[in-house]
Amino acid sequence: MRSGVVAAGLLGALVLAGCNVRSKKEGTGENVKVATPFGGMQVKTDEAAVSDGLGLPVYPGATVLKKKDNGKDDDAADVNMSFGAFKMRIKAMSYHSDDAPEKVAEFYKPALAKYGDVIECQHNKAVGTPVKTSQGLTCDNNKSNHITVTEAGSGELEYKTGSQQHQHIVALEKDGGGTKIGLVALDLPGHLSFGDDSDGDKQ
């Protein structure tokens, strides 16, 4: 993610300018906080804390994905960056369910609908209707801004709701006889641009 890389580079430079780094063990993960004179970043990897802040329910019977090499969480993160006018927050969790993607999708559609219209996406293209939420979110908004949901692999099915700056996403991928589930909540900087350069749809 371009914004994340820029922020990470900025953090590296600010180490020389004087910053405060605190790390604390929390539950199954860690809470790392970086404070500088210009802003800061906080990263939480505790699965309970991240799950509680997503605004989406855990699929019944689903289990948190673990890395095969160390048995730890594969993807549980709450990243909060704030540097002046630049503010971005990303919350993400990955799960596995023994149920088929179609059954998992039926569970999450009503959960997403409480945030507004739900669009179905595959390969950054809409599947069926609507193709755009009433708040202006489309299937290719993230691609236009180099933001990629990696909770599922290529060919994943995504259900999205919200606006271009505030999104909830459920990504589903067939995983053996079950489903890999990616839950994501995005709060993006308001000055990011959306859409093609030619369409004038910028924010």
Side-chain angles (χ1 to χ4, degrees), residues 15-94:
V15 169
L16 299 177
C19 66
N20 183 15
V21 180
R22 294 183 182 180
S23 177
K24 182 174 69 173
K25 200 76 176 173
E26 275 190 2
T28 59
E30 196 168 6
N31 184 3
V32 178
K33 188 173 184 179
V34 180
T36 79
F38 306 99
M41 179 172 75
Q42 187 170 15
V43 179
K44 296 179 181 179
T45 59
D46 175 48
E47 64 183 59
V50 176
S51 179
D52 288 345
L54 271 170
L56 291 170
V58 178
Y59 186 77
T63 56
V64 177
L65 284 178
K66 306 286 183 180
K67 285 183 186 266
K68 293 180 181 178
D69 57 346
N70 60 16
K72 294 183 179 180
D73 296 350
D74 182 33
D75 221 352
D78 180 348
V79 181
N80 192 356
M81 297 187 222
S82 179
F83 295 92
F86 180 91
K87 299 182 187 299
M88 179 169 68
R89 189 161 192 178
I90 303 168
K91 303 172 196 172
M93 283 286 296
S94 288

Side-chain angles (χ1 to χ4, degrees), residues 125-201:
K125 296 184 182 297
V127 178
T129 56
V131 299
K132 183 177 185 179
T133 71
S134 59
Q135 299 177 65
L137 181 64
T138 65
C139 289
D140 62 354
N141 283 149
N142 291 349
K143 181 181 178 183
S144 301
N145 291 277
H146 310 283
I147 298 168
T148 304
V149 178
T150 58
E151 272 56 44
S154 59
E156 77 276 6
L157 197 61
E158 293 180 2
Y159 295 88
K160 302 167 65 174
T161 186
S163 67
Q164 295 169 339
Q165 269 70 49
H166 306 287
Q167 308 176 25
H168 282 84
I169 303 170
V170 174
L172 305 178
E173 181 189 10
K174 191 170 179 59
D175 185 20
T179 304
K180 182 177 180 180
I181 307 168
L183 305 182
V184 182
L186 295 175
D187 291 302
L188 304 175
H191 63 274
L192 283 179
S193 62
F194 292 88
D196 298 329
D197 291 337
S198 60
D199 64 12
D201 187 12

